[in-house]
Amino acid sequence: MRHLIDIFDLSPAEIDEMIAVACDIMDKPQEYAHKCEGKKLATLFFEPSTRTRLSFEAAMYELGGHVIGFSDAGNSSSSKGESVSDTVKVVSCYADIIAMRHFKEGAPMVAAMKSDVPIINAGDGGHNHPTQTLTDLLTIHREKGRLDNLTIGLCGDLKFGRTVHSLIDAMSRYSGIKFVLISPEELRLPSYMRDMMAEKDLDYVETRDLEAAMPELDVLYMTRVQRERFFSEEEYLRLKNSYILTPDKLTNAKQTLSILHPLPRVNEIATSIDSDPRACYFSQALNGKFIRMALILKLLEEAKK
Ligand code: NCD
């Protein structure tokens, strides 16, 4: 059974193929409108979500399929003490494919070991978020026409931001990528990620200074400081405004810069940037639906084999 637990579960060639399918769906949605008739997607969300869950649900509806699930684990049997394994074992009797978000790192992997249907990791704690990464890759591809030879700035909460971890994993497989890691010391990329980058001999620098890094960036990936992962509210309050992207900070940016953010935004990007042609975060959210359609199609196809 093929699952998507982390982005390395897909080869770069498969990602290219999914990007092509997502673009084809954008052009010819009618051709895909019945592809999943009679199929059910279950969305099991043990943590809050707007874009990820609703884009998965919209994706399945636009493929002609159905959706079941919960968005509040308090309403599910996990509140009675049921294990993730048991929940998934049962839900896989009802659904053909499952998207799961969980606050515990590794929960979707445990689920995949028990499931009779494909499991998609829709975010596990501060660990990984591979479908956001597919969304990001589609967005970069559409904006830049390529996934190689880019300088990418990742800014904000690099410690707890799971979207950052998965995006670095994904980009580590393309050539000519330079990573500029922009964060306060307290929110540095975890050492296991830095070790991986050093082992693979990736080109990266760490800095605290967003404005100094700006001129060389092709892509700027802004992130929210992940309040829910902090041990102390005081520490969160001290760090939450570390970076706020305002128009003046873009003075020395390239005209061709693409500004991405997985959203939700708190205050990391001033709303006055939304109308700047370099702001891509709302089209990025739309892209999330199309790439999830391509993913559902692929995993259901593989499940038939
Ligand atoms: C991200 C997440 O859940 O990790 N959101 C998303 O899925 N688009 C980023 C975040 O919550 O800050």
Side-chain angles (χ1 to χ4, degrees):
M1 184 60 62
R2 196 80 195 273
H3 306 281
L4 176 59
I5 303 305
D6 77 47
I7 198 71
F8 293 130
D9 291 333
L10 294 167
S11 69
E14 286 177 310
I15 291 175
D16 285 350
E17 194 185 294
M18 286 171 54
I19 288 176
V21 171
C23 294
D24 198 51
I25 299 172
M26 290 180 200
D27 292 341
K28 296 174 264 169
Q30 276 314 318
E31 288 189 13
Y32 293 85
H34 304 283
K35 294 260 186 208
C36 286
E37 255 164 24
K39 297 286 181 198
K40 276 174 274 147
L41 162 76
T43 51
L44 310 185
F45 276 61
F46 294 83
E47 251 196 354
S49 168
T50 300
R51 269 148 298 274
T52 304
R53 184 173 61 84
L54 296 183
S55 66
F56 262 116
E57 297 190 358
M60 194 53 167
Y61 285 123
E62 291 189 24
L63 291 167
H66 297 278
V67 180
I68 59 173
F70 55 80
S71 55
D72 175 1
N75 287 334
S76 79
S77 284
S78 77
S79 67
K80 301 179 187 169
E82 185 171 54
S83 67
V84 166
S85 313
D86 282 1
T87 301
V88 160
K89 191 84 198 145
V90 170
V91 174
S92 65
C93 303
Y94 309 142
D96 302 283
I97 184 162
I98 296 174
M100 174 194 270
R101 168 169 289 190
H102 206 285
F103 49 86
K104 272 199 192 144
E105 286 83 4
M109 196 174 78
V110 170
M113 289 177 334
K114 293 286 166 183
S115 176
D116 301 323
V117 302
I119 297 283
I120 300 169
N121 177 5
D124 62 328
H127 189 215
N128 275 323
H129 194 347
T131 67
Q132 180 62 46
T133 296
L134 292 173
T135 302
D136 303 338
L137 296 177
L138 172 59
T139 305
I140 294 170
H141 193 273
R142 287 182 73 78
E143 295 298 324
K144 296 279 174 264
R146 63 182 192 278
L147 293 173
D148 55 5
N149 296 310
L150 293 166
T151 298
I152 304 185
L154 298 124
C155 177
D157 188 345
L158 309 188
K159 179 178 182 187
F160 297 117
R162 56 193 173 195
T163 63
V164 167
H165 307 159
S166 290
L167 183 57
I168 292 174
D169 282 345
M171 297 306 301
S172 74
R173 298 191 291 187
Y174 298 96
S175 61
I177 300 294
K178 177 174 178 187
F179 298 93
V180 183
L181 307 175
I182 308 155
S183 75
E185 173 70 25
E186 295 87 338
L187 299 178
R188 263 178 100 185
L189 195 71
S191 56
Y192 78 89
M193 288 290 305
R194 281 182 278 127
D195 291 348
M196 177 281 286
M197 294 176 87
E199 254 165 51
K200 291 190 172 174
D201 208 15
L202 302 182
D203 183 0
Y204 80 92
V205 291
E206 293 185 278
T207 176
R208 303 176 69 107
D209 192 341
L210 172 59
E211 278 173 273
M214 195 66 88
E216 66 169 322
L217 303 182
D218 299 307
V219 174
L220 171 60
Y221 194 88
M222 293 296 292
T223 61
R224 173 180 72 91
V225 176
Q226 307 276 301
R227 179 182 206 157
E228 64 277 32
R229 316 251 181 254
F230 275 75
F231 295 113
S232 114
E233 179 72 3
E234 212 173 47
E235 177 86 338
Y236 166 72
L237 292 173
R238 197 167 61 73
L239 293 168
K240 76 180 173 92
N241 294 328
S242 298
Y243 299 99
I244 301 177
L245 186 64
T246 46
D248 56 300
K249 301 214 171 90
L250 288 173
T251 312
N252 294 320
K254 289 186 184 172
Q255 280 312 313
T256 54
L257 173 71
S258 301
I259 305 167
L260 276 68
H261 189 312
L263 303 177
R265 131 178 89 185
V266 180
N267 64 349
E268 316 75 57
I269 302 181
T271 52
S272 52
I273 302 229
D274 297 358
S275 54
D276 189 304
R278 292 169 287 191
C280 300
Y281 29 93
F282 290 114
S283 56
Q284 188 183 354
L286 176 62
N287 289 337
K289 180 184 72 179
F290 294 111
I291 201 74
R292 288 181 174 101
M293 290 171 81
L295 175 65
I296 292 169
L297 284 171
K298 178 175 176 63
L299 291 181
L300 286 178
E301 196 53 44
E302 302 251 343
K304 280 192 212 155
K305 289 179 188 164

Tab-separated table of all heavy atoms in Angstrom, residues 4 10 14-26 32 35-36 55-56 58-60 62-63 97 120 131 134-135 138 287-302:
chain	number	residue	atom	x	y	z
A	4	LEU	N	1.530	8.570	1.808
A	4	LEU	CA	2.407	9.750	1.771
A	4	LEU	C	2.611	10.221	3.204
A	4	LEU	O	1.754	10.894	3.779
A	4	LEU	CB	1.799	10.871	0.910
A	4	LEU	CG	2.628	12.173	0.901
A	4	LEU	CD1	4.046	11.943	0.370
A	4	LEU	CD2	1.941	13.268	0.108
A	10	LEU	N	7.791	10.225	-2.306
A	10	LEU	CA	7.574	10.480	-3.737
A	10	LEU	C	8.914	10.802	-4.394
A	10	LEU	O	9.702	11.583	-3.837
A	10	LEU	CB	6.639	11.682	-3.922
A	10	LEU	CG	5.191	11.504	-3.445
A	10	LEU	CD1	4.492	12.862	-3.388
A	10	LEU	CD2	4.423	10.554	-4.359
A	14	GLU	N	7.956	11.526	-9.862
A	14	GLU	CA	6.522	11.456	-9.520
A	14	GLU	C	5.970	12.845	-9.193
A	14	GLU	O	4.821	13.158	-9.520
A	14	GLU	CB	6.317	10.514	-8.325
A	14	GLU	CG	6.479	9.053	-8.700
A	14	GLU	CD	6.348	8.138	-7.491
A	14	GLU	OE1	7.018	8.386	-6.461
A	14	GLU	OE2	5.578	7.171	-7.582
A	15	ILE	N	6.805	13.655	-8.528
A	15	ILE	CA	6.353	15.023	-8.213
A	15	ILE	C	6.140	15.812	-9.508
A	15	ILE	O	5.122	16.490	-9.669
A	15	ILE	CB	7.348	15.711	-7.246
A	15	ILE	CG1	7.254	15.031	-5.872
A	15	ILE	CG2	7.050	17.212	-7.131
A	15	ILE	CD1	8.245	15.516	-4.834
A	16	ASP	N	7.060	15.667	-10.447
A	16	ASP	CA	6.894	16.342	-11.752
A	16	ASP	C	5.586	15.924	-12.414
A	16	ASP	O	4.848	16.742	-12.961
A	16	ASP	CB	8.030	15.959	-12.718
A	16	ASP	CG	9.330	16.657	-12.361
A	16	ASP	OD1	9.308	17.564	-11.510
A	16	ASP	OD2	10.382	16.271	-12.928
A	17	GLU	N	5.332	14.625	-12.348
A	17	GLU	CA	4.126	14.080	-12.978
A	17	GLU	C	2.870	14.661	-12.290
A	17	GLU	O	1.910	15.049	-12.957
A	17	GLU	CB	4.193	12.568	-12.749
A	17	GLU	CG	3.289	11.690	-13.528
A	17	GLU	CD	3.493	10.261	-12.986
A	17	GLU	OE1	4.602	9.711	-13.162
A	17	GLU	OE2	2.547	9.737	-12.349
A	18	MET	N	2.906	14.755	-10.957
A	18	MET	CA	1.748	15.296	-10.238
A	18	MET	C	1.553	16.780	-10.524
A	18	MET	O	0.426	17.260	-10.610
A	18	MET	CB	1.907	15.059	-8.730
A	18	MET	CG	1.667	13.601	-8.388
A	18	MET	SD	2.101	13.240	-6.698
A	18	MET	CE	1.153	14.451	-5.872
A	19	ILE	N	2.650	17.511	-10.676
A	19	ILE	CA	2.539	18.933	-11.031
A	19	ILE	C	1.876	19.062	-12.403
A	19	ILE	O	0.984	19.889	-12.605
A	19	ILE	CB	3.936	19.616	-10.988
A	19	ILE	CG1	4.397	19.766	-9.531
A	19	ILE	CG2	3.916	20.979	-11.702
A	19	ILE	CD1	5.805	20.327	-9.348
A	20	ALA	N	2.278	18.178	-13.324
A	20	ALA	CA	1.676	18.218	-14.667
A	20	ALA	C	0.179	17.894	-14.590
A	20	ALA	O	-0.644	18.551	-15.250
A	20	ALA	CB	2.400	17.241	-15.594
A	21	VAL	N	-0.190	16.906	-13.779
A	21	VAL	CA	-1.611	16.551	-13.643
A	21	VAL	C	-2.376	17.727	-13.025
A	21	VAL	O	-3.459	18.102	-13.498
A	21	VAL	CB	-1.795	15.265	-12.788
A	21	VAL	CG1	-3.272	15.022	-12.468
A	21	VAL	CG2	-1.200	14.056	-13.503
A	22	ALA	N	-1.808	18.341	-11.967
A	22	ALA	CA	-2.489	19.478	-11.319
A	22	ALA	C	-2.728	20.603	-12.335
A	22	ALA	O	-3.812	21.202	-12.365
A	22	ALA	CB	-1.661	19.985	-10.136
A	23	CYS	N	-1.743	20.867	-13.183
A	23	CYS	CA	-1.901	21.935	-14.191
A	23	CYS	C	-2.963	21.544	-15.218
A	23	CYS	O	-3.749	22.391	-15.671
A	23	CYS	CB	-0.565	22.238	-14.881
A	23	CYS	SG	0.640	22.961	-13.752
A	24	ASP	N	-3.011	20.261	-15.558
A	24	ASP	CA	-4.023	19.793	-16.502
A	24	ASP	C	-5.436	19.925	-15.902
A	24	ASP	O	-6.379	20.303	-16.592
A	24	ASP	CB	-3.725	18.325	-16.874
A	24	ASP	CG	-4.436	17.918	-18.141
A	24	ASP	OD1	-4.306	18.648	-19.151
A	24	ASP	OD2	-5.154	16.887	-18.126
A	25	ILE	N	-5.535	19.628	-14.594
A	25	ILE	CA	-6.843	19.776	-13.928
A	25	ILE	C	-7.285	21.242	-13.952
A	25	ILE	O	-8.448	21.549	-14.189
A	25	ILE	CB	-6.784	19.262	-12.460
A	25	ILE	CG1	-6.431	17.771	-12.409
A	25	ILE	CG2	-8.129	19.508	-11.757
A	25	ILE	CD1	-6.165	17.232	-11.003
A	26	MET	N	-6.328	22.157	-13.727
A	26	MET	CA	-6.682	23.591	-13.763
A	26	MET	C	-7.241	23.970	-15.129
A	26	MET	O	-8.179	24.740	-15.231
A	26	MET	CB	-5.428	24.451	-13.514
A	26	MET	CG	-4.916	24.384	-12.113
A	26	MET	SD	-3.451	25.457	-11.994
A	26	MET	CE	-2.706	24.784	-10.532
A	32	TYR	N	-11.945	15.746	-15.124
A	32	TYR	CA	-11.623	15.044	-13.872
A	32	TYR	C	-12.825	14.939	-12.931
A	32	TYR	O	-12.725	14.359	-11.864
A	32	TYR	CB	-10.477	15.780	-13.167
A	32	TYR	CG	-9.178	15.691	-13.942
A	32	TYR	CD1	-8.882	16.583	-14.970
A	32	TYR	CD2	-8.263	14.679	-13.666
A	32	TYR	CE1	-7.704	16.485	-15.702
A	32	TYR	CE2	-7.080	14.571	-14.388
A	32	TYR	CZ	-6.808	15.483	-15.401
A	32	TYR	OH	-5.650	15.371	-16.114
A	35	LYS	N	-13.804	11.301	-11.838
A	35	LYS	CA	-12.736	10.297	-11.679
A	35	LYS	C	-12.841	9.511	-10.369
A	35	LYS	O	-12.347	8.389	-10.286
A	35	LYS	CB	-11.357	10.979	-11.732
A	35	LYS	CG	-11.030	11.583	-13.063
A	35	LYS	CD	-10.111	10.673	-13.854
A	35	LYS	CE	-9.667	11.370	-15.128
A	35	LYS	NZ	-9.364	10.467	-16.213
A	36	CYS	N	-13.425	10.112	-9.348
A	36	CYS	CA	-13.477	9.415	-8.051
A	36	CYS	C	-14.903	9.077	-7.635
A	36	CYS	O	-15.176	8.917	-6.436
A	36	CYS	CB	-12.795	10.257	-6.971
A	36	CYS	SG	-11.008	10.251	-7.141
A	55	SER	N	-9.230	22.091	1.609
A	55	SER	CA	-8.741	21.860	0.237
A	55	SER	C	-8.783	20.369	-0.096
A	55	SER	O	-9.065	19.995	-1.233
A	55	SER	CB	-7.342	22.437	0.018
A	55	SER	OG	-6.398	21.760	0.796
A	56	PHE	N	-8.527	19.519	0.896
A	56	PHE	CA	-8.683	18.075	0.656
A	56	PHE	C	-10.151	17.756	0.335
A	56	PHE	O	-10.445	16.978	-0.578
A	56	PHE	CB	-8.279	17.263	1.893
A	56	PHE	CG	-6.879	16.718	1.807
A	56	PHE	CD1	-5.887	17.123	2.683
A	56	PHE	CD2	-6.550	15.777	0.829
A	56	PHE	CE1	-4.594	16.624	2.597
A	56	PHE	CE2	-5.254	15.277	0.735
A	56	PHE	CZ	-4.276	15.697	1.619
A	58	ALA	N	-12.557	19.836	-0.756
A	58	ALA	CA	-12.930	20.402	-2.064
A	58	ALA	C	-12.334	19.553	-3.191
A	58	ALA	O	-12.989	19.292	-4.206
A	58	ALA	CB	-12.439	21.842	-2.167
A	59	ALA	N	-11.094	19.099	-2.999
A	59	ALA	CA	-10.427	18.270	-4.014
A	59	ALA	C	-11.252	17.014	-4.286
A	59	ALA	O	-11.523	16.665	-5.441
A	59	ALA	CB	-9.020	17.905	-3.543
A	60	MET	N	-11.671	16.339	-3.217
A	60	MET	CA	-12.418	15.089	-3.408
A	60	MET	C	-13.773	15.352	-4.061
A	60	MET	O	-14.201	14.615	-4.953
A	60	MET	CB	-12.578	14.367	-2.058
A	60	MET	CG	-13.035	12.936	-2.186
A	60	MET	SD	-11.956	11.982	-3.318
A	60	MET	CE	-12.471	10.316	-2.992
A	62	GLU	N	-14.497	17.768	-6.084
A	62	GLU	CA	-14.293	18.140	-7.490
A	62	GLU	C	-13.872	16.960	-8.355
A	62	GLU	O	-13.912	17.024	-9.575
A	62	GLU	CB	-13.305	19.314	-7.602
A	62	GLU	CG	-13.956	20.572	-7.053
A	62	GLU	CD	-13.189	21.848	-7.296
A	62	GLU	OE1	-12.400	21.909	-8.245
A	62	GLU	OE2	-13.408	22.792	-6.519
A	63	LEU	N	-13.509	15.863	-7.683
A	63	LEU	CA	-13.216	14.620	-8.419
A	63	LEU	C	-14.457	13.716	-8.454
A	63	LEU	O	-14.389	12.583	-8.911
A	63	LEU	CB	-12.054	13.876	-7.744
A	63	LEU	CG	-10.673	14.540	-7.854
A	63	LEU	CD1	-9.682	13.890	-6.881
A	63	LEU	CD2	-10.134	14.454	-9.283
A	97	ILE	N	-9.497	6.227	1.228
A	97	ILE	CA	-8.246	6.963	1.409
A	97	ILE	C	-8.434	7.882	2.621
A	97	ILE	O	-9.556	8.344	2.866
A	97	ILE	CB	-7.886	7.744	0.101
A	97	ILE	CG1	-6.546	8.431	0.208
A	97	ILE	CG2	-8.971	8.714	-0.317
A	97	ILE	CD1	-5.957	8.829	-1.166
A	120	ILE	N	-2.535	9.692	4.108
A	120	ILE	CA	-1.816	10.919	3.745
A	120	ILE	C	-1.565	11.705	5.027
A	120	ILE	O	-2.509	11.996	5.776
A	120	ILE	CB	-2.654	11.778	2.777
A	120	ILE	CG1	-2.965	10.999	1.481
A	120	ILE	CG2	-1.927	13.085	2.464
A	120	ILE	CD1	-4.001	11.671	0.590
A	131	THR	N	1.977	17.475	2.111
A	131	THR	CA	1.047	17.986	1.083
A	131	THR	C	1.125	19.510	0.975
A	131	THR	O	0.848	20.068	-0.076
A	131	THR	CB	-0.423	17.539	1.297
A	131	THR	OG1	-0.954	18.143	2.479
A	131	THR	CG2	-0.531	16.029	1.386
A	134	LEU	N	3.935	19.834	-1.468
A	134	LEU	CA	3.514	19.657	-2.869
A	134	LEU	C	2.880	20.953	-3.380
A	134	LEU	O	3.115	21.372	-4.519
A	134	LEU	CB	2.522	18.492	-2.983
A	134	LEU	CG	3.104	17.093	-2.719
A	134	LEU	CD1	1.993	16.040	-2.702
A	134	LEU	CD2	4.151	16.736	-3.794
A	135	THR	N	2.090	21.583	-2.501
A	135	THR	CA	1.471	22.870	-2.831
A	135	THR	C	2.547	23.920	-3.119
A	135	THR	O	2.465	24.680	-4.092
A	135	THR	CB	0.616	23.321	-1.628
A	135	THR	OG1	-0.350	22.318	-1.356
A	135	THR	CG2	-0.064	24.642	-1.862
A	138	LEU	N	4.341	23.165	-6.454
A	138	LEU	CA	3.503	23.560	-7.597
A	138	LEU	C	3.551	25.083	-7.764
A	138	LEU	O	3.669	25.596	-8.884
A	138	LEU	CB	2.056	23.069	-7.386
A	138	LEU	CG	1.006	23.555	-8.390
A	138	LEU	CD1	1.365	23.151	-9.820
A	138	LEU	CD2	-0.390	23.005	-8.037
A	287	ASN	N	-3.633	26.600	-5.282
A	287	ASN	CA	-2.860	25.493	-5.848
A	287	ASN	C	-2.971	24.241	-4.984
A	287	ASN	O	-2.902	23.119	-5.484
A	287	ASN	CB	-1.379	25.881	-5.963
A	287	ASN	CG	-1.143	26.915	-7.044
A	287	ASN	OD1	-1.930	27.048	-7.961
A	287	ASN	ND2	-0.055	27.660	-6.918
A	288	GLY	N	-3.134	24.439	-3.673
A	288	GLY	CA	-3.233	23.308	-2.740
A	288	GLY	C	-4.365	22.358	-3.094
A	288	GLY	O	-4.239	21.138	-2.943
A	289	LYS	N	-5.451	22.901	-3.582
A	289	LYS	CA	-6.572	22.036	-3.965
A	289	LYS	C	-6.203	21.195	-5.189
A	289	LYS	O	-6.449	19.983	-5.214
A	289	LYS	CB	-7.806	22.895	-4.262
A	289	LYS	CG	-9.004	22.071	-4.676
A	289	LYS	CD	-10.181	22.945	-5.047
A	289	LYS	CE	-9.958	23.635	-6.362
A	289	LYS	NZ	-11.071	24.478	-6.799
A	290	PHE	N	-5.580	21.814	-6.173
A	290	PHE	CA	-5.284	21.085	-7.417
A	290	PHE	C	-4.233	19.991	-7.207
A	290	PHE	O	-4.353	18.895	-7.747
A	290	PHE	CB	-4.852	22.066	-8.503
A	290	PHE	CG	-5.957	22.996	-8.910
A	290	PHE	CD1	-5.903	24.350	-8.614
A	290	PHE	CD2	-7.082	22.506	-9.557
A	290	PHE	CE1	-6.945	25.202	-8.971
A	290	PHE	CE2	-8.136	23.348	-9.917
A	290	PHE	CZ	-8.058	24.699	-9.627
A	291	ILE	N	-3.220	20.291	-6.404
A	291	ILE	CA	-2.187	19.264	-6.221
A	291	ILE	C	-2.741	18.131	-5.347
A	291	ILE	O	-2.363	16.968	-5.517
A	291	ILE	CB	-0.866	19.865	-5.638
A	291	ILE	CG1	0.325	18.953	-5.934
A	291	ILE	CG2	-0.947	20.113	-4.149
A	291	ILE	CD1	0.823	18.932	-7.328
A	292	ARG	N	-3.666	18.437	-4.455
A	292	ARG	CA	-4.266	17.365	-3.640
A	292	ARG	C	-5.185	16.510	-4.514
A	292	ARG	O	-5.315	15.304	-4.278
A	292	ARG	CB	-4.983	17.943	-2.421
A	292	ARG	CG	-3.982	18.473	-1.387
A	292	ARG	CD	-4.611	19.033	-0.130
A	292	ARG	NE	-3.580	19.368	0.835
A	292	ARG	CZ	-3.121	20.604	1.076
A	292	ARG	NH1	-3.631	21.652	0.440
A	292	ARG	NH2	-2.161	20.799	1.968
A	293	MET	N	-5.799	17.105	-5.517
A	293	MET	CA	-6.583	16.294	-6.472
A	293	MET	C	-5.641	15.320	-7.173
A	293	MET	O	-5.944	14.120	-7.297
A	293	MET	CB	-7.290	17.195	-7.502
A	293	MET	CG	-8.429	18.004	-6.908
A	293	MET	SD	-9.121	19.249	-8.030
A	293	MET	CE	-10.217	18.234	-9.036
A	294	ALA	N	-4.496	15.818	-7.616
A	294	ALA	CA	-3.528	14.946	-8.301
A	294	ALA	C	-3.038	13.842	-7.358
A	294	ALA	O	-2.858	12.686	-7.775
A	294	ALA	CB	-2.358	15.784	-8.809
A	295	LEU	N	-2.843	14.178	-6.102
A	295	LEU	CA	-2.359	13.194	-5.124
A	295	LEU	C	-3.404	12.104	-4.847
A	295	LEU	O	-3.083	10.909	-4.824
A	295	LEU	CB	-1.987	13.906	-3.813
A	295	LEU	CG	-1.570	13.000	-2.660
A	295	LEU	CD1	-0.269	12.267	-2.971
A	295	LEU	CD2	-1.431	13.805	-1.354
A	296	ILE	N	-4.649	12.520	-4.658
A	296	ILE	CA	-5.716	11.545	-4.404
A	296	ILE	C	-5.816	10.584	-5.595
A	296	ILE	O	-5.886	9.359	-5.428
A	296	ILE	CB	-7.073	12.265	-4.152
A	296	ILE	CG1	-7.027	13.027	-2.819
A	296	ILE	CG2	-8.243	11.277	-4.177
A	296	ILE	CD1	-8.198	13.993	-2.595
A	297	LEU	N	-5.793	11.149	-6.800
A	297	LEU	CA	-5.867	10.307	-8.005
A	297	LEU	C	-4.723	9.297	-8.034
A	297	LEU	O	-4.926	8.111	-8.301
A	297	LEU	CB	-5.796	11.172	-9.269
A	297	LEU	CG	-7.068	11.940	-9.628
A	297	LEU	CD1	-6.784	12.915	-10.769
A	297	LEU	CD2	-8.189	10.976	-10.024
A	298	LYS	N	-3.537	9.782	-7.734
A	298	LYS	CA	-2.359	8.908	-7.808
A	298	LYS	C	-2.443	7.779	-6.775
A	298	LYS	O	-2.232	6.611	-7.096
A	298	LYS	CB	-1.093	9.730	-7.586
A	298	LYS	CG	0.166	8.889	-7.592
A	298	LYS	CD	1.426	9.712	-7.481
A	298	LYS	CE	2.652	8.827	-7.401
A	298	LYS	NZ	2.878	8.000	-8.595
A	299	LEU	N	-2.756	8.127	-5.530
A	299	LEU	CA	-2.749	7.084	-4.490
A	299	LEU	C	-3.893	6.095	-4.678
A	299	LEU	O	-3.733	4.894	-4.416
A	299	LEU	CB	-2.795	7.728	-3.086
A	299	LEU	CG	-1.529	8.495	-2.672
A	299	LEU	CD1	-1.690	9.074	-1.266
A	299	LEU	CD2	-0.270	7.619	-2.715
A	300	LEU	N	-5.037	6.574	-5.159
A	300	LEU	CA	-6.135	5.628	-5.411
A	300	LEU	C	-5.791	4.707	-6.581
A	300	LEU	O	-6.135	3.519	-6.566
A	300	LEU	CB	-7.446	6.371	-5.670
A	300	LEU	CG	-8.110	6.998	-4.440
A	300	LEU	CD1	-9.375	7.755	-4.838
A	300	LEU	CD2	-8.445	5.945	-3.380
A	301	GLU	N	-5.115	5.258	-7.570
A	301	GLU	CA	-4.683	4.440	-8.707
A	301	GLU	C	-3.703	3.342	-8.240
A	301	GLU	O	-3.826	2.181	-8.598
A	301	GLU	CB	-4.017	5.385	-9.728
A	301	GLU	CG	-3.830	4.836	-11.117
A	301	GLU	CD	-5.102	4.285	-11.750
A	301	GLU	OE1	-6.187	4.914	-11.659
A	301	GLU	OE2	-4.991	3.175	-12.323
A	302	GLU	N	-2.746	3.756	-7.413
A	302	GLU	CA	-1.740	2.801	-6.921
A	302	GLU	C	-2.373	1.735	-6.030
A	302	GLU	O	-1.908	0.598	-5.999
A	302	GLU	CB	-0.677	3.537	-6.103
A	302	GLU	CG	0.028	4.619	-6.883
A	302	GLU	CD	1.467	4.274	-7.233
A	302	GLU	OE1	2.015	3.357	-6.612
A	302	GLU	OE2	1.999	4.932	-8.136
